[in-house]
Amino acid sequence: MTTTAESTSTTVDQRAAGVAPNLARRAGFFRDVASIAARSLRQARREPETLFPPIFVPVFFFMILVGSLEDTFGHTGLNDFRAFQLPVSVVLAVTGLTRAPSVVTDITTGYFERLLLSPVNRMALLLGMMVADAAIVVALCVPVLVMGAIVGVEFVTGFVGILAFVVFATAWSIAYVGILYAVALRSANPTVTSQTFLLYFPFVFLSTTMVPREAMKGWLSTVAGFNPLTYVYAALRSLITEGWSGPDLLKGVVAIVIVGACTHTLAYAALRGRVSRSRP
Amino acid sequence: MNQRLSVSSDPGGPGPDAFAIHAVDLRRRFGERWAVDGVNLAVPSSQIYGFLGPNGAGKSTTVRMLCGLLIPTGGRATVLGHDVARDPGGVHLAIGAALQATAIDDRQTGLEHLRLQGRLYGLRRAETERRIAELQDLIELGEAIQRPAATYSGGMKRRLDLALALIHNPDVLFLDEPTTGLDPVSRFKLWDEVRRINRERGTTVFLTTQYLEEADELAERVGIIADGRLVAEGTPDELKRRIGADVVIARVSGDPERARQVLDGIPEVERVDVDATEVTATVGDGPTAITPVAVALAAAEISVETLTLRQPTLDDVFLAVTGHRLATGTAAQPDAGASELATTGRTSQ
């Protein structure tokens, strides 16, 4: 993580002869991350169609679930089914929202190798894209929260709670996308990478997406107890309806950290393999 | 593998720091196959060095090792004193490279490519904009520089790729088959640009190519690589002189091996190479030798479709040292003379 400028290799003879010097120097880790993130965001701006599903799906599910099940779920003890479902909408919007597939394109077109020829910090190649993902997730939380406000969902934790809600959603999203980057970097295969979305289903539907844990019975309740997303939901919901609930928030943080540690370890291992100078 | 040492020479002489590019017994193995098998190089600063060979000869693997992208299996190489295995970061700062695949992101505009490249090389904004202005003539994209690269032709992408390699004024420029797929006009323009960069900045250029004309036109020295080994090296003129003053080429319709035997018996003929239906006789004095050659072939009742007298080309050199022509890629058996020439191929300087 070198942040200081490094002298270039222009020879003394070249300088004496008035030849334009080699201008290359290390830009520094944070500038590298910012450069890669900015590029990723530019790409996202040019591909607005990729943002349509993450906006449409949560709004669609919210409308359908609230419209059809709000009355039915009254017996589960839920006072506010809309508040219960808003975190689901956010999770549906941000889980798997990533620019990871563009890594595959970069690898297959040779542009990734062009980046490796430069003095860019290798870690910045991955972190820069994740920073861009985080920025997109934050932006996508806005329409979902606006939708919640329109249908009357209020945060008992106030504006700070809304910010904490966005931070939680973003942290979950970044923890989850590590696995997608791992697959993209490891396989460099668009088909394999796109199949990774299947992971989304067990995470989302074997958790408290539809009903609270107390209303679950048998194996589903047991599985949901091991699903980290259950605790992320609990943290998000507590910010809306319960206030600053330390245990719920702490469990949510732990769940995100565990998922993130696993997926990011895989992602960084895949990055190391991809930039390895031993590979053909 | 047993020929490796016999055809590769030790650069010897001054130490590695005296050269822009220096390699000793550079090797790279993929599985059981040696893609690069003991290459020695000693390229002085400010030289345009042509690395000539057919597809699969080991050119790109050599370049990838010299650029610090691939770790050598054996041997050692330095670029401007930076060890390619131990100090790839130093190598990356010193060099610019346009590799075989045009590394352009279709989703970025030309201008975005150049600005990002400038940032990654640590250039300040003003430096990047100045370099972009200086590279405008090379890029020749006009208004298209503001459009996504997906709309560019192959030639436009090639030029942009070269400009990206040059954004930071590198001291050593690696070009891996830079004109493959370009139309003749774009190719000549790129040649002019390579010459200009070399002349004005003294940039060392390491150019791989499978085009004989390109190596002949551009390179001050040429290394010929075949099957991972450097089989001959020298200036284009030196290499041509090594095989003789002139060549007589007979395209025969019968058995070319019989034609070889016939020509081998002519005193004026110094060596004979066969590639498919072409029999190439290297002679000391073409005008004197062509009549005996024609008479001998006629006397042996060998049907000759064409008989050509000309000065040697790098393709003739390639035929002499590898046993087949670069242009056709047709395999033939190298003869003893080929080995002799190969062993005389020395590295630069």
Side-chain angles (χ1 to χ4, degrees), chain A residues 5-11 14 18-28 30-36 38-39 42-43 45-47 99 101-103 105-106 108-122 125 275-280, chain B residues 28 30 64 67-71 80 82 84-90 92-95 97-99 101-105 107-109 112-113 116-125 127 130-131 148 161-162 164-165 167-171 200-203:
Chain A
E6 187 165 297
S7 63
T8 61
S9 53
T10 302
T11 64
Q14 282 179 321
V19 171
N22 182 339
L23 301 169
R25 59 184 85 90
R26 291 192 194 283
F30 293 107
R31 193 176 184 215
D32 283 345
V33 169
S35 300
I36 298 298
R39 170 186 175 240
R42 276 197 304 272
Q43 288 177 343
R45 202 184 61 211
R46 292 216 171 89
E47 297 168 347
R99 301 290 307 162
S102 69
V103 174
T105 308
D106 284 346
T108 53
T109 60
Y111 191 73
F112 194 79
E113 196 155 68
R114 149 80 56 216
L115 295 173
L116 294 184
L117 278 168
S118 78
V120 67
N121 185 296
R122 275 40 182 160
L125 294 174
V275 304
S276 164
R277 296 187 300 131
S278 298
R279 66 180 301 126
Chain B
R28 175 69 204 198
F30 296 122
R64 285 164 55 79
C67 289
L69 287 176
L70 195 61
I71 203 154
L80 287 175
H82 301 284
V84 299
R86 285 179 294 184
D87 183 18
H92 294 149
L93 286 169
I95 69 165
L99 299 185
T102 309
I104 297 297
D105 172 12
R107 299 156 295 182
Q108 290 190 101
T109 68
E112 287 166 352
H113 273 92
L116 175 61
Q117 192 78 353
R119 282 180 64 87
L120 296 179
Y121 277 92
L123 273 63
R124 296 176 191 90
R125 184 178 297 226
E127 286 175 327
R130 180 171 54 77
R131 285 296 295 145
D161 198 33
L162 179 59
L164 293 176
I167 192 82
H168 56 291
N169 271 338
D171 298 309
E200 292 182 2
R201 270 204 85 246
T203 304

Side-chain angles (χ1 to χ4, degrees), chain A residues 153-164:
Chain A
V153 176
E154 291 181 5
F155 279 71
V156 298
T157 49
F159 182 71
V160 178
I162 293 174
L163 293 181

